[in-house]
């Protein structure tokens, strides 16, 4: 099939790879403009562009989608289908209507749950036990189009958002491949979303990072998992802000919320519900993340000290 692919981050790369592996004619890739990164502010390609260049696929990086430029390019490319995976731009109606088979989005949640920009992270933050990927026939709304194919996966108790991201990225490629096969076969069935079951997964911000130790161990553990690898949960100890990358729940503890009750095998901290979490990976200011065991060899932290 003649396809245009729209995507930007690492999450979308396996889908582009699968399109090529499945033998489709990928006539163009749309991705976000290059951005400066690092201390030197060197311009860096988005991951999808890097992959497209590797495949010698023409790359287009419009700054706007509604000024007619993107539409003109797409008319020239004449795709039968547009696949959209974490592109990061709203697709206007004239483009949605352009291809014979419309535009199909690969969304990293079990729609209609977790519409929006950060479904993977909010699934973990909210302590969900399962997630998945949904292919969706795009319409003018925000992740409101008809559902096509779904695939589920379990979320382990200690799985981070980063780990779930990688799992769903691969699952998304499989869901996309099955969806296109059914489009070609003429066997694809569409299911309308029940808006009453929906919820919204907004973009993450650093305002979510500070840990409130009066919350339950479950909530704090989910916060740490859901904000890993970005923007990362934080807490203040002895006037310094530490990043908490990995924790585990450890059951009943004695101590006030935020109090360090053990330094054996990590920093065990009391939470608000009488249970505790053990910090397994920590990052001191200006340092790299390291195991708590290694951190404690170079930092004297006493039982009874308190995270604010």
């Amino acid at each position: 099939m003649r396809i245009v692919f729209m995507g930007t981050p690492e999450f979308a790369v396996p889908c582009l790879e699968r399109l090529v592996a499945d033998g489709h004619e990928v006539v163009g890739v749309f991705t976000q403009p290059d951005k400066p990164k690092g201390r030197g502010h060197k311009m860096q390609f988005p991951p999808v562009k890097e992959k497209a260049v590797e495949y010698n696929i023409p790359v287009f990086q419009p700054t706007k989608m509604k000024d007619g430029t993107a539409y003109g390019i797409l008319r020239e490319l004449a795709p039968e289908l547009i696949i959209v995976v974490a592109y990061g731009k709203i697709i206007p109606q004239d483009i949605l209507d352009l291809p014979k088979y419309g535009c199909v989005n690969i969304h990293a949640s079990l729609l209609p749950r977790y519409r929006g920009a950060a479904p993977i992270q909010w699934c973990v933050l909210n302590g969900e036990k399962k997630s998945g990927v949904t292919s969706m026939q795009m319409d003018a709304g925000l992740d409101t189009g008809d559902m096509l194919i779904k695939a589920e996966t379990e979320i382990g108790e200690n799985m981070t958002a980063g780990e779930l991201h990688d799992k769903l990225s691969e699952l998304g490629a499989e869901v996309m491949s099955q969806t296109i096969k059914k489009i070609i076969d003429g066997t694809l069935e569409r299911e309308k979303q029940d808006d009453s079951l929906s919820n919204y997964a907004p973009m993450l911000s650093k305002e979510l990072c500070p840990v409130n130790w009066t919350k339950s161990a479950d909530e704090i553990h989910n916060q740490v998992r859901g904000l890993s690898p970005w923007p990362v949960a934080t807490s203040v100890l002895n006037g310094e802000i530490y990043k908490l990358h990995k924790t585990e729940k450890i059951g009943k503890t004695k101590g006030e919320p935020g109090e360090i009750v053990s330094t054996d095998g990590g920093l065990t901290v009391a939470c608000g519900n009488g249970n505790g979490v053990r910090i397994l990976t920590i990052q001191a200011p200006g340092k790299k993340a390291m195991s708590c065991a290694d951190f404690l060899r170079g930092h004297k932290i006493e039982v009874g000290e308190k995270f604010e």
Side-chain angles (χ1 to χ4, degrees):
M1 186 178 285
R2 189 175 174 87
I3 292 173
V4 163
F5 183 80
M6 296 183 177
T8 299
E10 196 66 43
F11 181 86
V13 170
C15 283
L16 178 56
E17 291 176 324
R18 185 62 178 267
L19 285 175
V20 173
D22 285 352
H24 295 294
E25 185 185 2
V26 184
V27 294
V29 164
F30 278 60
T31 191
Q32 294 264 24
D34 302 345
K35 290 184 179 179
K37 270 204 168 183
R39 290 181 180 177
H41 297 287
K42 185 178 179 182
M43 296 300 284
Q44 188 166 354
F45 289 178
V48 163
K49 180 178 178 178
E50 290 183 3
K51 186 56 64 173
V53 168
E54 186 181 315
Y55 288 139
N56 293 314
I57 300 170
V59 175
F60 305 93
Q61 296 174 277
T63 55
K64 296 179 180 178
M65 296 299 285
K66 294 182 179 180
D67 63 1
T69 305
Y71 181 80
I73 295 168
L74 287 163
R75 280 201 65 175
E76 289 290 322
L77 293 173
E80 297 171 272
L81 174 69
I82 295 175
I83 295 288
V84 181
V85 188
Y87 179 33
K89 287 185 178 291
I90 294 173
I91 313 297
Q93 192 65 49
D94 58 352
I95 291 177
L96 294 177
D97 295 337
L98 182 64
K100 176 181 179 181
Y101 298 108
C103 298
V104 169
N105 175 239
I106 307 301
H107 185 73
S109 81
L110 298 172
L111 290 171
R113 301 291 294 165
Y114 295 100
R115 295 171 177 171
I120 298 172
Q121 293 87 347
W122 282 103
C123 259
V124 179
L125 284 164
N126 290 340
E128 300 284 4
K129 304 299 182 189
K130 66 180 181 180
S131 184
V133 173
T134 307
S135 59
M136 173 190 69
Q137 194 75 44
M138 295 179 71
D139 64 13
L142 179 65
D143 301 326
T144 55
D146 291 349
M147 299 178 292
L148 305 174
I149 293 178
K150 287 185 182 181
E152 289 186 4
T153 189
E154 298 295 316
I155 302 176
E157 181 178 276
N158 295 316
M159 182 180 282
T160 65
E163 291 163 345
L164 181 59
H165 166 283
D166 294 348
K167 200 171 184 181
L168 294 184
S169 180
E170 297 296 333
L171 190 60
E174 180 60 31
V175 166
M176 178 201 68
S177 181
Q178 291 176 19
T179 302
I180 296 172
K181 284 176 185 174
K182 285 183 176 289
I183 289 173
I184 294 169
D185 293 344
T187 58
L188 193 63
E189 296 182 1
R190 294 165 64 150
E191 179 186 354
K192 290 206 171 296
Q193 295 191 43
D194 184 344
D195 291 344
S196 69
L197 300 177
S198 72
N199 66 330
Y200 183 60
M203 290 181 69
L204 301 181
S205 74
K206 293 190 176 182
E207 291 176 1
L208 297 169
C209 296
V211 172
N212 178 355
W213 294 99
T214 65
K215 291 186 175 181
S216 71
D218 282 334
E219 290 173 293
I220 292 168
H221 180 57
N222 292 341
Q223 179 183 2
V224 172
R225 296 191 301 134
L227 299 180
S228 173
W230 189 91
V232 189
T234 61
S235 194
V236 176
L237 179 66
N238 296 326
E240 294 195 305
I241 300 174
Y242 288 87
K243 293 182 177 181
L244 313 181
H245 288 265
K246 198 165 188 180
T247 55
E248 63 181 359
K249 296 184 290 184
I250 54 102
K252 292 292 180 185
T253 56
K254 291 182 179 180
E256 296 179 8
E259 184 179 345
I260 296 169
V261 295
S262 172
T263 57
D264 185 20
L267 290 172
T268 301
V269 187
C271 304
N273 63 339
N275 290 340
V277 295
R278 181 179 288 120
I279 301 169
L280 300 177
T281 307
I282 194 167
Q283 185 175 358
K287 305 292 184 181
K288 291 184 177 180
M290 64 176 69
S291 73
C292 231
D294 288 341
F295 169 79
L296 288 169
R297 290 190 188 100
H299 297 78
K300 190 169 178 61
I301 306 292
E302 302 284 354
V303 170
E305 291 183 37
K306 210 170 177 183
F307 281 100
E308 297 175 25

